[in-house]
Amino acid sequence: MNDVLERLRAEATGSPEYPEYDALLAADPDALAASLTSAGLPLWARELAAYRLGLAGDRRAFEPLVLLLNHRDPPRCAAAAEALAALGDPRTARAAAALATNTLRTAYALQPVRLLTALRAPESAPVLMATLSRLLSPHDPYWRVALACVEGLGNLADPRSRAVLVRAQSHPRLAVAATAALRKLR
């Protein structure tokens, strides 16, 4: 949490809205939710409000956090995934699954894949298997997403993933992790 707050403080420093940072840190949930719909707030302020609401379990943060989970900036995605995991909203797994399987956004699928693993939802293993299957071509540039799928499948230990993990063993960047994941299957 401190890393996220420090990153957001650094983004806020020097901006005309900087006094808003301290106000958002002290705001109650209703004020945070209101700030999510206020016009003219910078991205860091919206992220801070959504992050705080998510960690507090306030479902008004769901939509803004899903948008941040799909952001091109990895630290924003990671903070959103952390807050969504804490939020406990039943829609989270479906949203993460949609982002992880979107072939147009594969470059930003790392955090949705990790979130699905953390959630251990019924759709987690099937989505990770489908995503990994799609990424097993020899020259696919998204090997980090594929690696997260392999590690996630190992953590989920779903026996249905055996075939795709065996295929992943032939991929040089995935072989060690795939072998470790296979050992964890029931």
Side-chain angles (χ1 to χ4, degrees):
M1 183 168 137
N2 286 336
D3 290 344
V4 173
L5 296 179
E6 286 305 313
R7 177 178 54 78
L8 293 173
R9 180 184 295 280
E11 284 184 41
T13 302
S15 75
E17 300 90 355
Y18 180 73
E20 195 71 29
Y21 180 86
D22 289 326
L24 285 170
L25 277 181
D28 66 22
D30 289 333
L32 291 170
S35 73
L36 290 174
T37 58
S38 318
L41 278 184
L43 182 57
W44 64 261
R46 292 187 192 289
E47 181 183 354
L48 179 56
Y51 181 75
R52 286 201 51 226
L53 283 171
L55 292 182
D58 190 316
R59 291 193 177 168
R60 294 176 286 185
F62 178 75
E63 287 85 4
L65 287 172
V66 169
L67 289 172
L68 290 166
L69 183 63
N70 194 32
H71 198 274
R72 67 183 175 274
D73 184 23
R76 282 196 209 293
C77 297
E82 176 187 348
L84 281 164
L87 183 61
D89 191 298
R91 300 171 291 175
T92 301
R94 282 190 314 275
L99 294 173
T101 57
N102 183 339
T103 57
L104 299 175
R105 303 287 293 171
T106 304
Y108 309 110
L110 183 62
Q111 291 304 326
V113 163
R114 288 179 176 164
L115 178 57
L116 280 167
T117 301
L119 294 173
R120 304 183 80 79
E123 53 266 78
S124 295
V127 166
L128 296 184
M129 289 185 288
T131 302
L132 177 58
S133 245
R134 183 171 46 84
L135 300 175
L136 286 178
S137 65
H139 303 292
D140 192 281
Y142 305 114
W143 66 270
R144 285 180 180 86
V145 175
L147 180 60
C149 289
V150 167
E151 292 169 346
L153 289 168
N155 289 333
L156 295 172
D158 189 313
R160 298 174 295 177
S161 65
R162 182 173 309 282
V164 73
L165 288 172
V166 167
R167 285 181 39 224
Q169 284 182 304
S170 66
H171 194 291
R173 290 182 163 158
L174 306 176
V176 172
T179 301
L182 281 164
R183 283 191 208 113
K184 294 179 181 180
L185 297 186
R186 299 176 215 144

